[in-house]
């Protein structure tokens, strides 16, 4: 199976852009050449992509078909279902594979279909000491073969095979479609995707969240799945008021990254330091049938102004595929949280963590890269983080265009510009490893801005032959995320971490106590 296929559309892709809505399919060409069945017919073969899509991104809004399915006004059109293809969360989940455990078999090439063992070939197997075997057993391998009950097809007991009945049916009708995902463990217990994700409905209903939106992305006919769920009730506004920060900066005399003339050219500076930022909380979840044994979920942030998703600083929840994950009584008897309660706890964690977003964003706005002093460009900086030049160039253009001055973009600008560039330019599957790796880079900029600065400089120094051109101080070769470690680096302007966090400590603590009180 290919690990990444390209969309035929050259238009910018929005999160979860539906292949049916855009009149494109994220499928490989070999599928369309597949014969429809073994039955002779004058009609042209029906492409497999018309029956089961190997790879797709689909949007949803509302929990069930009975919900209003209304997006908040702030959500951009590119992120929404089209009116003709609107579907609820429940409908999106019901389209996932109905996977179950299956039997795995292997072929023994030394046994013919009649059951006769080819001993002559066995004697020629390199590395097999036939003489020692015959000496130990006191029998020739011909006698051993005659007494054996070997079969040409052997049941493999130390692995499990995960199958999807819809794909298995198409395979039986002659379609060249993969329907099996091998799991290398005899203790693996499949968590059926539909049974795992439908409990999210009741978990969100109990929290009053009836109109979430998001998108599902899958590859390998559902073998690799990722989904984003955005919760409008977890809406947070980060104020653009800079007064508190600037007062503290003046007291300490530390250069600030925040522009003091943000009132001018307001439109072009919308995503930079001086504007109000609206954020929604949500979570991303996924599984991979192709060798891993966990169902996972983690908090994310959604920026409606740009339609971008940022992996948050929250905990990554995992649930291994063993026991009976969707049987609440069984899970409780084993000391595990039933999956329906698991989803409620994840929502509550996201709700609590939203109060930390204000400090995190202010922190990224208070650190700036001065590319007049740094020996590399904005494009180079992105490539040092592992971003392909195509996206690095687009992100750099945007970061420079909205920075004030243009040579000094903040970390907030850099991470948001990267998200937008990848969102608009990436043509592969949003469930692909590459796409997710780019999101992780943006997430690390948000969570660990100081460490990412040092990482870029470390990579520049590694590529530079002239030691006199190195930019990372000798005493900072070990990466850390302390802002104190980057204050004195040429080309980096940073406000003090204390100025950003101490002032808000009491407010954050009060909000946390109120949230915990509401949850209990």
């Amino acid at each position: 199976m290919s690990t990444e296929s390209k969309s035929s559309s050259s238009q910018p892709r929005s999160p979860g852009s539906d292949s049916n809505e855009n009149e494109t399919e994220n499928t490989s060409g070999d599928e369309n050449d597949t014969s429809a069945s073994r039955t002779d017919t004058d009609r042209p073969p029906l492409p497999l992509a018309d029956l089961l899509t190997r790879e797709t991104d689909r949007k949803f809004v509302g929990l069930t078909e009975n919900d209003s399915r209304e997006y908040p006004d702030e959500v951009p059109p590119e992120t929404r279902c089209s009116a003709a293809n609107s579907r609820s969360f429940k409908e999106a989940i019901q389209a996932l594979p109905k996977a179950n455990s299956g039997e795995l078999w292997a072929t023994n090439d030394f046994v013919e279909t009649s059951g006769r063992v080819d001993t002559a070939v066995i004697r020629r197997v390199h590395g097999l000491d036939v003489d020692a075997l015959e000496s130990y057993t006191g029998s020739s391998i011909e006698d051993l073969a005659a007494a054996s009950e070997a079969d040409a097809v052997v049941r493999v007991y130390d692995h499990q095979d995960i199958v999807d009945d819809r794909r298995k049916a198409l395979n039986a009708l002659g379609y060249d479609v993969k329907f099996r995902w091998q799991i290398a463990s005899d203790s693996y217990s499949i968590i059926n995707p539909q049974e795992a994700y439908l409990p999210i409905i009741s978990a969100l209903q109990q929290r009053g969240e009836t109109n979430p939106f998001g998108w599902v992305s899958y590859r390998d006919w559902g073998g690799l799945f990722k989904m984003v769920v955005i919760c409008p009730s977890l809406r947070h506004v980060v104020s653009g008021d800079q007064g508190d920060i600037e007062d503290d900066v003046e007291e300490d005399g530390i250069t600030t990254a925040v522009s003091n003339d943000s009132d001018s050219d307001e439109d072009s500076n919308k995503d930079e330091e001086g504007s109000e930022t609206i954020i929604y909380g949500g979570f991303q979840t996924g599984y991979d049938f192709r060798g891993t044994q966990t169902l996972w979920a983690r908090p994310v942030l959604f920026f409606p102004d740009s339609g971008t998703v940022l992996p948050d600083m929250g905990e990554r929840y995992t649930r291994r595929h063993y026991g009976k994950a969707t049987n609440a009584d069984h899970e409780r008897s084993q000391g595990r949280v039933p999956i329906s309660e698991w989803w409620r706890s994840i929502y509550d964690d996201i709700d609590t963590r939203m109060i930390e977003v204000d400090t995190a964003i202010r922190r990224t706005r208070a650190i700036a890269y001065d590319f007049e002093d740094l020996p590399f460009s904005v494009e180079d900086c992105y490539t040092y983080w592992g971003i392909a030049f195509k996206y690095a160039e687009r992100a750099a253009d945007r970061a420079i265009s909205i920075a004030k001055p243009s040579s000094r973009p903040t970390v907030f600008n850099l991470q948001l510009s990267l998200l937008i560039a990848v969102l608009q330019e990436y043509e592969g599957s949003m469930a692909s490893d590459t796409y997710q790796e780019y999101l992780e880079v943006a997430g690390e900029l948000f969570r660990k801005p100081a460490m990412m600065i040092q990482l870029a400089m470390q990579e520049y120094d590694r590529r530079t032959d002239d030691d006199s051109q190195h930019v990372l101080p000798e005493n900072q070769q070990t990466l850390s995320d302390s802002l104190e470690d980057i204050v004195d680096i040429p080309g980096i302007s940073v406000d003090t971490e204390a100025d950003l966090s101490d002032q808000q400590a009491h407010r954050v603590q009060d909000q946390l106590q109120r949230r915990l009180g509401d949850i209990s």
Side-chain angles (χ1 to χ4, degrees):
M1 296 299 165
S2 63
T3 57
E4 182 179 314
S5 61
K6 301 295 184 181
S7 168
S8 61
S9 173
S10 61
Q11 298 301 314
R13 301 271 314 280
S14 64
S17 59
D18 195 316
S19 54
N20 292 332
E21 294 167 5
N22 294 334
E23 297 181 355
T24 66
E25 284 289 348
N26 295 329
T27 53
S28 298
D30 58 342
E31 295 172 7
N32 297 324
D33 296 331
T34 306
S35 59
S37 74
R38 298 187 183 93
T39 304
D40 291 334
T41 176
D42 294 332
R43 292 191 297 270
L46 180 64
L48 178 60
D50 290 351
L51 301 176
L52 291 174
T53 305
R54 170 190 281 188
E55 170 180 314
T56 194
D57 306 306
R58 290 192 170 185
K59 291 172 281 189
F60 62 83
V61 60
L63 277 177
T64 70
E65 57 275 12
N66 297 322
D67 291 312
S68 62
R69 304 195 192 186
E70 294 181 357
Y71 285 94
D73 293 338
E74 298 157 337
V75 176
E78 299 79 21
T79 308
R80 306 184 183 206
C81 296
S82 68
N85 291 284
S86 178
R87 65 183 62 83
S88 66
F89 171 85
K90 183 177 181 180
E91 290 169 326
I93 296 302
Q94 287 175 332
L96 292 178
K98 298 179 176 65
N100 294 284
S101 296
E103 297 177 347
L104 184 62
W105 297 84
T107 300
N108 190 334
D109 297 331
F110 298 107
V111 183
E112 299 175 355
T113 54
S114 63
R116 188 186 77 84
V117 178
D118 193 337
T119 56
V121 176
I122 290 177
R123 286 188 180 277
R124 296 195 298 270
V125 172
H126 178 73
L128 176 62
D129 193 338
V130 174
D131 293 338
L133 176 62
E134 290 180 328
S135 175
Y136 177 79
T137 61
S139 302
S140 67
I141 62 171
E142 285 77 18
D143 291 337
L144 293 174
S148 76
E149 298 180 354
D151 293 319
V153 181
V154 183
R155 173 76 186 275
V156 180
Y157 289 97
D158 57 352
H159 288 62
Q160 281 202 347
D161 198 29
I162 308 305
V163 300
D164 175 27
D165 285 344
R166 296 174 299 179
R167 292 159 176 79
K168 186 193 294 185
L170 287 176
N171 181 271
L173 295 174
Y175 281 96
D176 181 19
V177 56
K178 179 180 178 180
F179 62 86
R180 312 165 79 89
W181 301 287
Q182 181 176 321
I183 303 298
S185 172
D186 59 350
S187 63
Y188 186 94
S189 178
I190 181 64
I191 301 180
N192 188 301
Q194 297 191 21
E195 295 178 355
Y197 288 125
L198 286 176
I200 295 176
I201 294 176
S202 61
L204 294 185
Q205 286 174 334
Q206 291 176 19
R207 295 296 184 262
E209 187 74 69
T210 60
N211 207 37
F213 62 91
W215 48 92
V216 299
S217 304
Y218 63 77
R219 296 161 56 200
D220 199 5
W221 288 289
L224 173 63
F225 173 83
K226 292 176 182 176
M227 172 172 63
V228 172
V229 180
I230 306 301
C231 303
S233 67
L234 300 179
R235 183 181 183 273
H236 186 73
V237 179
V238 179
S239 172
D241 182 8
Q242 304 161 23
D244 293 339
I245 295 178
E246 290 169 2
D247 289 344
D248 288 334
V249 169
E250 289 173 3
E251 290 177 8
D252 291 345
I254 298 174
T255 303
T256 176
V258 181
S259 172
N260 291 322
D261 56 351
S262 59
D263 290 337
S264 62
D265 198 12
E266 181 176 349
D267 291 337
S268 64
N269 202 33
K270 183 178 181 182
D271 296 318
E272 194 43 88
E273 299 86 359
S275 61
E276 184 177 81
T277 302
I278 299 173
I279 304 171
Y280 292 173
F283 60 90
Q284 183 184 42
T285 180
Y287 62 77
D288 188 346
F289 285 155
R290 307 169 308 167
T292 63
Q293 301 182 43
T294 56
L295 174 76
W296 58 269
R298 63 177 179 179
V300 297
L301 302 178
F302 176 73
F303 295 84
D305 279 347
S306 58
T308 55
V309 170
L310 179 70
D312 192 13
M313 51 197 167
E315 178 183 352
R316 188 178 190 271
Y317 293 81
T318 59
R319 193 176 192 98
R320 291 181 60 81
H321 288 235
Y322 55 59
K324 300 178 181 177
T326 55
N327 184 319
D329 292 338
H330 176 272
E331 292 299 280
R332 287 194 182 94
S333 69
Q334 299 299 314
R336 293 189 291 266
V337 177
I339 201 163
S340 58
E341 297 178 15
W342 191 66
W343 288 118
R344 288 199 296 271
S345 66
I346 292 172
Y347 178 92
D348 291 342
D349 182 36
I350 300 167
D351 189 16
T352 302
R353 289 182 184 277
M354 287 301 292
I355 65 174
E356 303 171 11
V357 170
D358 188 274
T359 299
I361 288 184
R362 282 173 170 261
R363 188 185 189 205
T364 61
R365 283 175 168 170
I367 305 171
Y369 288 41
D370 192 335
F371 287 98
E372 288 187 347
D373 290 340
L374 291 169
F376 49 84
S377 67
V378 185
E379 294 96 328
D380 291 338
C381 191
Y382 280 119
T383 61
Y384 294 160
W385 291 322
I387 306 301
F389 185 78
K390 172 183 177 180
Y391 312 111
E393 185 178 38
R394 180 66 177 266
D397 288 344
R398 183 188 183 280
I400 293 171
S401 70
I402 65 173
K404 300 186 69 176
S406 61
S407 62
R408 298 179 68 243
T410 64
V411 170
F412 182 77
N413 178 346
L414 292 170
Q415 61 93 9
L416 189 60
S417 294
L418 173 59
L419 288 172
I420 293 174
V422 173
L423 174 66
Q424 294 178 340
E425 297 295 327
Y426 195 79
E427 295 181 345
S429 168
M430 291 188 174
S432 70
D433 294 338
T434 301
Y435 186 85
Q436 295 300 320
E437 287 167 4
Y438 290 164
L439 295 190
E440 287 298 329
V441 171
E444 289 294 275
L445 278 166
F446 182 77
R447 292 186 294 269
K448 302 176 180 179
M451 187 190 75
M452 293 298 285
I453 289 169
Q454 296 166 77
L455 183 63
M457 293 182 169
Q458 190 177 73
E459 181 62 16
Y460 168 80
D461 289 348
R462 187 186 69 82
R463 301 186 187 189
T464 301
D465 296 331
D466 186 352
D467 292 345
S468 66
Q469 298 298 315
H470 286 185
V471 292
L472 193 63
E474 287 296 329
N475 61 350
Q476 293 185 26
Q477 296 302 313
T478 301
L479 301 181
S480 73
D481 197 43
S482 171
L483 295 187
E484 294 177 356
D485 288 340
I486 64 172
V487 169
D488 297 328
I489 296 178
I492 300 298
S493 297
V494 58
D495 199 354
T496 62
E497 188 171 9
D499 288 337
L500 288 175
S501 57
D502 292 350
Q503 186 181 73
Q504 301 177 58
H506 293 298
R507 182 177 61 82
V508 170
Q509 182 65 26
D510 290 343
Q511 289 182 343
L512 176 60
Q513 293 300 325
R514 287 198 296 272
R515 289 279 176 87
L516 293 177
D518 293 340
I519 292 172
S520 61

